[in-house]
Amino acid sequence: MIRNINKLLKKAKEKKPPVQNNYEDSKPQDLLYDNFNQNVAMFRSIYRNCSDVMFRSFLLFGKTRAMIIYIEGLSDIEGIENYVLTPFMQETANASPSLNEFFETKMPVSKVKKIELFADCVESISSGNPLLLCEGEQDGYSLGLAKWEQRAIEEPVAEGGIRGSREGFTESLQIGTSLLRRIIKSPALKIQTMKIGSYSRTNVALAYIEGVADQTLIDEMMNRLKRIEIDGILESGYIEEMIEDNPYSPFPQIMTTERPDIACSNLLEGRAVILVEGTPFSLIAPISFFSLLQSHEDYYQRFMIGTIIRWLRYLFLLVSLLFPSLYVAILTFHHEMVPAQLLLSMASSREAVPFPAIVEALLMEIAFEALREAGVRLPKQIGSAVSIVGALVIGQAAVDAGLVSAPMVIVVAITGISSFMIPRYVAGIAIRMLRFPIMLLASTLGLLGIMMAIISIAIHLCTLRSFGVPYLAPLAPLKVRELKDVLWRSPLWMMDTRPHLTGESNLYRQSPGQAPSPKKGGDTE
């Protein structure tokens, strides 16, 4: 019986389910008819029960039937009236040129494309570009009059800073690519666009610098993007989860950013950037673990300040990961490690607490995470107030009630503040997730459990890859030349070479020997 069940399960796994609702299988592939009425009837059938799709019929040059099809809210209505309907309807029949000649000489629309397939016509209409059908013409004409409401360019809320650009990506893909072009003006910046999603048909752009990014890396990223078969892409997180190397790792293998300057700096280092229509968050790959701990202000401030802040970031990363576990391990197993006076003070503060240290730590950590998430989800006007007041009130009330000790509140507060030092939100979430199993190991095995957790995390990070790039590069494998932008932030005039990612690389990014010197600048006397 068990064997039969196992055989059935094995057969079910081997059978690959058919892709349902695949756009490539369902979209009409036929050519447009050479009959005007049949074309109009076909499009009315395709867009039945779509009240926002408008069919506007008129006479072309006063004698030929024509129709323009567009979607309200996606097309420029004023442009349709002024640049399409008015010129065509005012042109007299006697002096009317051919349709192609009219497009070239008298129609003030810069982008006009001839379309032969029904599928391409539907694509044009859905993208906001009106479709023009004319009697006697088998082909349709896509008019570049797309226009919809969009958010203005603003500073990213989650990636603010004291110094640097105040511009951030918006939900518009065209604005995103234009922001990249404004910074990197070289034609070597290549942007390849595709559509993903059988229903959403979301525009996704892959940007890279030709000659700097390795072509094998770009080919691999294109293959992974083209392999995605899904009904819709609503955010770049869909793409990220579909193309990462190890989906079961808590650590992100793709970095997200809203800042064009960060995206361009990674492009100049040989990485690729993925922009998705409908979200301001772009994806950067490949990355390393140290990329997640670097901030844009590290390079905008003087190198000594950037180095000190980076060291603080590394220190508080360890505090955020290990501080509650060390506290639990010491209180549970290793009392001899604490000075006698401090141990007596901690014991007196825990005298009325009925729970062991691990329960105490879990209660406070879960409460702190709940307050943090509540502050994020609530409206901005009350979110910060709830998180701060809630932490103060709940912490003080818990100490007064004897549920937790005052030292534990201090430990959790320092841990929470330390997690805010991590520049990337996704990396902070990974550290917060790992904190809980490490605390459980510390409560059962003490410092031995913490060491086991650290070794396990180190082994996992050493085996992790981001599009083939080692996650701990350039520390493991060791590349001494590239450590100048990892353990510290070297002066810009010392960083002559780019990080080596995959394959052949364009090694030098600037001319060597550019250190500032009074002799080079000339004598001021």
Side-chain angles (χ1 to χ4, degrees), residues 5 77 156 170 196 271 299 356 484 497 516:
I5 293 175
I77 306 299
T170 67
I196 302 178
R271 297 180 176 90
Y299 305 93
K484 57 189 175 184
T497 58

Side-chain angles (χ1 to χ4, degrees), residues 412-463:
V412 172
I414 293 175
T415 304
I417 294 172
S418 301
S419 64
F420 292 129
M421 288 284 293
I422 302 175
R424 303 294 161 198
Y425 181 74
V426 288
I429 292 178
I431 299 301
R432 286 155 57 187
M433 287 175 55
L434 293 172
R435 190 185 302 154
F436 290 94
I438 296 177
M439 284 193 296
L440 293 176
L441 286 173
S443 67
T444 54
L445 299 174
L447 292 179
L448 178 61
I450 295 177
M451 291 304 301
M452 290 175 58
I454 294 174
I455 293 173
S456 300
I457 293 172
I459 292 174
H460 174 70
L461 292 177
C462 288
T463 59

Side-chain angles (χ1 to χ4, degrees), residues 197-473:
S198 58
Y199 286 114
S200 66
R201 305 301 293 161
T202 306
N203 288 316
V204 177
L206 177 64
Y208 62 95
I209 298 180
E210 190 176 42
V212 175
D214 182 34
Q215 189 59 42
T216 57
L217 169 65
I218 303 304
D219 294 340
E220 176 64 21
M221 296 188 73
M222 289 293 294
N223 291 335
R224 295 192 189 187
L225 290 173
K226 292 178 180 178
R227 202 166 56 225
I228 298 176
E229 294 182 0
I230 192 172
D231 54 358
I233 299 292
L234 304 181
E235 214 275 336
S236 58
Y238 284 51
I239 302 289
E240 179 182 1
E241 198 166 345
M242 290 286 191
I243 65 175
E244 61 185 355
D245 291 55
N246 187 350
Y248 300 105
S249 173
F251 294 95
Q253 294 119 66
I254 299 175
M255 188 168 66
T256 61
T257 183
E258 291 184 77
R259 298 183 62 97
D261 55 345
I262 293 180
C264 289
S265 67
N266 283 275
L267 287 173
L268 293 170
E269 290 185 352
R271 297 180 176 90
V273 175
I274 299 175
L275 303 175
V276 181
E277 183 80 44
T279 175
F281 291 93
S282 62
L283 305 178
I284 299 172
I287 62 168
S288 67
F289 178 72
F290 303 103
S291 303
L292 302 172
L293 300 178
Q294 296 174 354
S295 173
H296 60 280
E297 282 201 277
D298 292 353
Y299 305 93
Y300 298 159
Q301 304 286 353
R302 293 173 58 82
F303 71 94
M304 292 177 288
I305 299 174
T307 300
I308 293 173
I309 293 176
R310 187 170 292 184
W311 288 348
L312 282 175
R313 209 172 287 141
Y314 291 158
L315 172 63
F316 282 101
L317 170 69
L318 296 176
V319 171
S320 175
L321 181 65
L322 302 176
F323 196 25
S325 305
L326 288 172
Y327 181 80
V328 170
I330 290 173
L331 279 186
T332 307
F333 296 102
H334 309 285
H335 303 100
E336 69 279 359
M337 296 181 64
V338 184
Q341 192 67 30
L342 179 58
L343 183 62
L344 291 174
S345 176
M346 295 169 61
S348 62
S349 64
R350 298 194 72 255
E351 186 176 359
V353 177
F355 304 115
I358 180 60
V359 176
E360 192 181 357
L362 288 175
L363 285 175
M364 287 303 300
E365 284 290 346
I366 293 173
F368 188 86
E369 294 296 332
L371 287 171
R372 192 204 307 251
E373 286 301 311
V376 172
R377 309 301 167 207
L378 287 172
K380 294 181 181 179
Q381 292 80 1
I382 61 175
S384 59
V386 168
S387 59
I388 295 173
V389 174
L392 293 174
V393 172
I394 292 177
Q396 186 62 40
V399 172
D400 294 341
L403 297 177
V404 297
S405 61
M408 180 58 74
V409 175
I410 296 173
V411 169
V412 172
I414 293 175
T415 304
I417 294 172
S418 301
S419 64
F420 292 129
M421 288 284 293
I422 302 175
R424 303 294 161 198
Y425 181 74
V426 288
I429 292 178
I431 299 301
R432 286 155 57 187
M433 287 175 55
L434 293 172
R435 190 185 302 154
F436 290 94
I438 296 177
M439 284 193 296
L440 293 176
L441 286 173
S443 67
T444 54
L445 299 174
L447 292 179
L448 178 61
I450 295 177
M451 291 304 301
M452 290 175 58
I454 294 174
I455 293 173
S456 300
I457 293 172
I459 292 174
H460 174 70
L461 292 177
C462 288
T463 59
L464 202 58
R465 295 289 187 274
S466 173
F467 286 87
V469 177
Y471 203 62
L472 291 181

